Amino acid sequence: SVYLFAPGAPILLVGTHKDKLTDTQMKQAYSELEKNVLSKGPSVEALTRTKTGDYCFFISNVTEGDEGSPQHDESIKILQIAIERLAVKQPHVHEKVPIEWLRVRDCLSELEKNQSRQRLTFKEVVDVAGLCGLGKLKGLSLEMEVTAMLQKFHELDVVGWFDKDRLRDLVVLNTQWLIDATSTIIRDPRLHPMAQDPKIRRKSKQAWELLLNNAVLDSKLLPLFFPDDQYSENERTQLVVLMEMFGLIVNLHENQDEARKLWLVPSLLKGDKVTRSLGGNPAVCYLYFNVESAESDDHRVVSHESLEDGFLPAGLFPRIIGNAVKWAQQTNGPQFGDWILTNT
């Protein structure tokens, strides 16, 4: 999945608990790794190799001084050196930025660490930037320089920021905030229950069951998943826009009004039964994906042999379903009726 969604990014494969294995077990573990993981796709070529040519860095979980610690095990140090060597090769490491931008970065880090601020508004970042000395360049307003700075910070994963309608005002300092927010919806409540689940079932049982059984999110649930004491109305809208942008949910246009909106959540669709999401005439569509017709392996994301072995990047199939639904709504086809998810 890293190879698919971040092509060109350096990848290190790390195996832990080396201290629990004998040399024979280590060789067996690596053999299993080659057979079940490394041979399943082209991503192996993106892996950084060890000095001995292996594709995995095995490290010990026992530190020096602990009982049973190896006296001369340098696995962590070897991994650290490999990471440092990769880091200095990245273009952004040698890129020059204004010293004032670094001051802003430090201030944002302090806000997150000391004041537990996980996100800010664009105006709040502008105010911080002004205090750090931005806005003094001739012919460039403070807002324009902050926009350029946030674009660079986003590229480097310092903050999360998108210069798009309805998203421009949200600057995420800690991406865990986004993960926590989306995972309140995209989860199996039976496996990962949350404290607010009983309240949601009690206040909106029909909408809750629609999500649980049919993978359809009703806008009535948004204030319950994202309560007023933790999220503003604007932030609720921004989270929905972000989930749509990343293909996590798909807006269902049929039979909707301003008071009630519905979204399909492809990753929650179940393959063991047909689910009824909206009324209409049922239709069945079978999609068969094949890579044999590609001109050469150079044009394929994964090889035909890899797919035959069962390889499919995590999350790819729900994204295909989501994009298919999005595309279908732009046609004059029938209303949506029954949904079934089958990944075979």
Side-chain angles (χ1 to χ4, degrees):
S1 294
V2 175
Y3 177 82
L4 179 63
F5 297 115
I11 304 173
L12 292 94
L13 193 61
V14 180
T16 59
H17 297 284
K18 175 185 174 183
D19 51 286
K20 301 293 184 182
L21 302 177
T22 64
D23 290 343
T24 301
Q25 290 173 326
M26 281 281 295
K27 292 179 181 179
Q28 183 179 355
Y30 189 77
S31 177
E32 289 293 320
L33 181 67
E34 282 188 313
K35 178 182 177 181
N36 298 319
V37 179
L38 301 180
S39 63
K40 297 297 183 181
S43 57
V44 63
E45 299 303 325
L47 291 175
T48 300
R49 296 198 185 195
T50 66
K51 287 184 177 180
T52 58
D54 294 332
Y55 287 104
C56 183
F57 291 81
F58 289 101
I59 63 172
S60 172
N61 285 55
V62 181
T63 58
E64 188 174 352
D66 291 343
E67 183 179 354
S69 65
Q71 297 298 315
H72 303 288
D73 183 67
E74 298 184 343
S75 57
I76 294 291
K77 185 176 181 180
I78 292 172
L79 176 61
Q80 181 181 356
I81 293 173
I83 294 174
E84 290 174 349
R85 286 177 177 173
L86 283 174
V88 298
K89 293 179 181 179
Q90 303 309 303
H92 66 268
V93 174
H94 306 282
E95 188 174 352
K96 295 181 179 180
V97 297
I99 189 66
E100 292 82 4
W101 290 18
L102 300 181
R103 292 176 187 154
V104 174
R105 182 201 61 183
D106 292 340
C107 287
L108 297 180
S109 298
E110 286 297 315
L111 285 172
E112 179 193 351
K113 181 179 179 180
N114 297 332
Q115 298 185 28
S116 300
R117 296 295 303 273
Q118 295 182 302
R119 69 271 192 194
L120 300 174
T121 64
F122 183 81
K123 183 182 182 306
E124 287 176 317
V125 176
V126 169
D127 292 340
V128 171
L131 295 174
C132 292
L134 272 71
K136 297 180 181 179
L137 296 176
K138 187 177 181 180
L140 191 67
S141 67
L142 175 59
E143 287 75 12
M144 291 174 63
E145 187 175 3
V146 169
T147 296
M149 178 191 69
L150 287 177
Q151 287 173 338
K152 177 56 63 177
F153 281 3
H154 178 79
E155 291 175 6
L156 301 178
D157 202 27
V158 175
V159 301
W161 183 72
F162 300 91
D163 193 8
K164 298 177 181 290
D165 292 340
R166 297 185 292 175
L167 293 178
R168 197 170 191 271
D169 194 46
L170 177 65
V171 182
V172 180
L173 304 185
N174 184 355
T175 52
Q176 189 62 44
W177 177 75
L178 289 177
I179 297 171
D180 291 342
T182 56
S183 62
T184 61
I185 296 173
I186 305 176
R187 62 186 169 93
D188 187 339
R190 289 160 293 200
L191 298 177
H192 304 284
M194 302 186 74
Q196 68 265 38
D197 289 353
K199 180 180 178 181
I200 297 174
R201 283 195 296 267
R202 193 168 56 250
K203 287 198 168 186
S204 193
K205 181 180 179 181
Q206 185 176 0
W208 171 262
E209 291 181 349
L210 186 66
L211 177 64
L212 188 64
N213 300 322
N214 295 31
V216 174
L217 172 65
D218 192 317
S219 57
K220 294 178 180 178
L221 292 178
L222 294 180
L224 300 174
F225 280 125
F226 309 131
D228 293 335
D229 60 339
Q230 299 178 40
Y231 302 87
S232 66
E233 179 64 32
N234 192 36
E235 286 174 337
R236 279 197 285 266
T237 301
Q238 290 164 337
L239 286 168
V240 168
V241 172
L242 280 169
M243 286 191 286
E244 284 190 36
M245 186 174 73
F246 288 115
L248 300 176
I249 60 175
V250 179
N251 190 8
L252 296 174
H253 299 299
E254 295 288 339
N255 300 328
Q256 292 200 44
D257 53 43
E258 288 300 319
R260 185 193 185 205
K261 294 184 178 181
L262 300 173
W263 295 270
L264 179 70
V265 189
S267 59
L268 295 185
L269 284 168
K270 299 176 177 63
D272 58 343
K273 65 177 181 178
V274 176
T275 58
R276 184 170 299 279
S277 56
L278 292 173
N281 299 321
V284 178
C285 177
Y286 294 97
L287 301 177
Y288 175 69
F289 299 95
N290 189 3
V291 295
E292 280 188 309
S293 59
E295 296 179 2
S296 68
D297 284 337
D298 295 338
H299 295 86
R300 300 173 179 172
V301 177
V302 294
S303 67
H304 177 62
E305 292 75 14
S306 295
L307 289 178
E308 282 187 333
D309 290 337
F311 173 81
L312 189 69
L316 179 59
F317 191 70
R319 289 170 69 94
I320 293 174
I321 295 297
N323 279 287
V325 171
K326 188 184 300 183
W327 171 84
Q329 292 185 118
Q330 299 171 2
T331 70
N332 294 322
Q335 290 183 337
F336 292 101
D338 294 333
W339 298 95
I340 185 169
L341 181 69
T342 305
N343 182 7
T344 57

